[in-house]
Amino acid sequence: GEPPAAGGTAEADSGTTDAEDEEALKLLEEEDSEDRGVTASPMDQLLQKLPQCDNRELIDDLALQFCYLNNKSTRKRLVRALFKIPRTLLNMIPFYARLVASLDVLVDDIAPSLVDMLQREFRYYTKRKDQTNLESRIRNILFLGELCKFQVCPSTVVYKCLNDCLDNFSHFNIDVVCALLECAGRYLYRTPETHVRCKNVLERMWRLKEARHLDGKYDTLVENAYYYCVPPVRPAKQEILLTPIQAYINWLVHVHLEKRTAKMVLQKLRKLPEREYDVFLTESFLRVWNGKFGHIALVAELASNLSGYNDRIGIMLVDRVMEELRQACEHPNHNYHQRYVMVAKLFGELFQQCMIDSAIVFDLLYMFLFSGNLPPYVAMALEAAYVAHAQGPKDAPFVLPDWKEIPLPEEPVPPLMYYNPTDPPTDCFRVRVICTVLNTCAGYMDRGAAKSRLDRYLTFFQHYLLAKEFIPLEIEFMVADTVELVRPRLTRCKSFEEAHTALVKLENSEREMIQKSKRVLHRRPALNNPVWYEITTSESTETEDSDDGGEDGESDGTPVMRGQDIDLLPAGWEGDLAADKAPLGTAGSLAEEVPKSLEDAMFEKEFEAMMQEAVDTRRMETRASAVNFNNMAVPVSVLKSRIQGDQKAEPVAPPSEIDPEEAHQEWEDAANGIEDGGDVSGGGGGGGGAVATMQFTVLTKSNKGKSQIRGQLKIPSEYAFVSHAKSHLKEEQAAKDEIKRFVLNYEEQEVEQRTDTADDVKRMLEGAVQMKKPPPGTADDRPSSRGGRGGY
């Protein structure tokens, strides 16, 4: 049952026959069957661990363990175990070759025996000349290649195998040659001893490829194997040298930027020169693919905060992002797909930071749907127009039909009418970009006009998606997640016909709306409309003339047109002016029916949607955010007149001479707006009665808009506006009285505190003086019994 001895070279093996090779393989199978009946031993446990040694440390440890079990029988069993490696474990072949090379230093019969068995197997498969057992042949030739790289198998054995396959260079032999060259070809080409022979083999293989018309698969295999051994000469990639400040900017944006350091990074970038590094900073923000995907939101937030101090950076960044996405749509490159997806994510984050409007987002989304993709029925209409032109007179010019005016057919048209090189039917790159943008932006499109626009876009998106020939499972899951996030209750179309029906319904409803808006009645603007013209009375004109020095002369009270308003009037306004003065319902009060173009109708629709969105937004605001007309800024001219009027008024009596009851009554009269001479003639019998009024100052502009005209207006107190003004005045006066009372009390308390402090200081001084005086009857007060200056 011992395997045949290893010859070691191709010359020694050339004398073997097919019968001997088959007999050797049968003997190996019989020995394996005998080994299965033996009880488990340390060697069996070692061989069971062999398929799990998938790294260098484990295989080296296994070689060390085998050294303790080394004998002739264990070596034979190890060789058979290595030879019977499963064809599905090709990744284990390099580690098995490492084990053989490690043991070949100590034991000299393992490597030759294994190489001889592999040679016999290779000859056995080569002489059968069929395409069965291709995986086993690949396993066999890869094992020889790995042993050759460890210098265990002679290179002559490998070249003998290559020449045998090149002699019959077809089908499975091409797979074997390419597998061997991809495994050990570069080693043989770079080794000086085998370089010339490997070069000759490669040239022979290339000539066979050029001489024979191989299938595309084999052609690609041969080119990959050849260029793996002999890489094409390419110029060295030039490294872009950055200045220290530019390298520091890249480090801040792509490495150091985090949530906790965002504020510090913003402060550092603000210290840069204002216009010297704007372009480089914009490019650094755009190259989000140099950083992590999760940091794109931080980059967008940093760009938004920085554009608040330098708006030039924000504008350039949005332009570069749009240009990058347009490049991805019109000239796609599979090498940059991940880069384009990250730029799309940055686009959505900029929308969240309010640097991009929703209209630009929808323009981008529609561009990814329709760029290079005309609808199928439009393509059919263009083809029919071209055929009709070809069949018609030769001198007739070709008129390209307007595809927007082509009606949408009721029956679904096959989607693949032509091939679009920028968006093949099996390519889903645009779907990935659209899902990325929607996942980022759609959370802010759940109300107002943006919601209806998104609903309309989803109809077109489903029609585009179902027109694809094949949708990978990954893309299908991505679309499902996007729809779940954007519209959880949306019922997706199951087939292209269903999507086409929904699109026809949408198109018909929009066409009906446009047809209705083409012929509408337009009311001429009234004379008192400030947008078109302005009426100025003779009184206002005289006031303006007195303010401007009388440069415009007198006015007779007729309507006066402003220059900029005359330019806005339509042609023939002079003749329609009399019709505008006519009451509503007369023949001259209505204009003729004016047809509208499609662009005007769409503009009005968008404008109404925008206004409705603004109204919805204002409804969400609180009453506290509304404008307080009581706190409006008063013009300087009015303030000056008030100051001058107060200076000319009679002097006010001191507070001590004012009677509190009289002052309160005067304030009540002023608040109620009662004035002397406020009698208003009553109706009916001609009697009159005093009506409480309140006087307001009204500011208007002159007919030239250069000066302000101030007039007095008395409004009865019965109106809500007057009552509101009165209550506001009372609140202001009450607040003033409260402040005045607080100030007076504070002054009185301060005076009392000062008086108490002075009394305390006086008492403290008196006490100190009393403490310095000696008590009566002490030695200091008694007269001295001795004369002189003291002493005895």
Side-chain angles (χ1 to χ4, degrees), residues 634-635 638 641-642 694-700 709-715 721:
V634 181
V638 179
S641 62
R642 283 188 179 182
M694 191 170 185
Q695 185 171 341
F696 292 87
T697 302
V698 181
L699 297 177
T700 58
I709 304 172
R710 186 173 68 255
Q712 303 298 329
L713 180 64
K714 296 180 180 181
I715 302 178
F721 176 75

Side-chain angles (χ1 to χ4, degrees), residues 633-677:
V634 181
V636 180
S637 59
V638 179
L639 291 176
K640 289 183 179 180
S641 62
R642 283 188 179 182
I643 294 173
Q644 293 176 1
D646 295 341
Q647 291 177 355
K648 294 179 181 179
E650 295 181 358
V652 183
S656 60
E657 300 178 4
I658 296 177
D659 189 2
E661 296 182 357
E662 295 180 359
H664 180 72
Q665 185 63 30
E666 291 179 0
W667 162 246
E668 290 290 340
D669 296 343
N672 294 328
I674 300 176
E675 301 177 357
D676 295 339

Side-chain angles (χ1 to χ4, degrees), residues 238-289:
Q238 296 181 356
E239 184 179 0
I240 301 176
L241 298 178
L242 301 178
T243 63
I245 296 182
Q246 291 176 346
Y248 179 65
I249 292 174
N250 282 338
W251 179 79
L252 286 176
V253 175
H254 300 298
V255 179
H256 191 59
L257 181 61
E258 296 177 359
K259 275 189 176 181
R260 59 183 180 84
T261 61
K263 187 175 181 181
M264 185 273 292
V265 172
L266 177 62
Q267 294 176 354
K268 296 293 184 182
L269 295 179
R270 285 185 59 194
K271 295 180 180 180
L272 296 174
E274 184 173 355
R275 291 187 176 272
E276 184 176 355
Y277 294 99
D278 288 355
V279 177
F280 182 81
L281 195 58
T282 303
E283 292 295 330
S284 182
F285 287 151
L286 179 65
R287 295 177 178 271
V288 289
W289 54 83

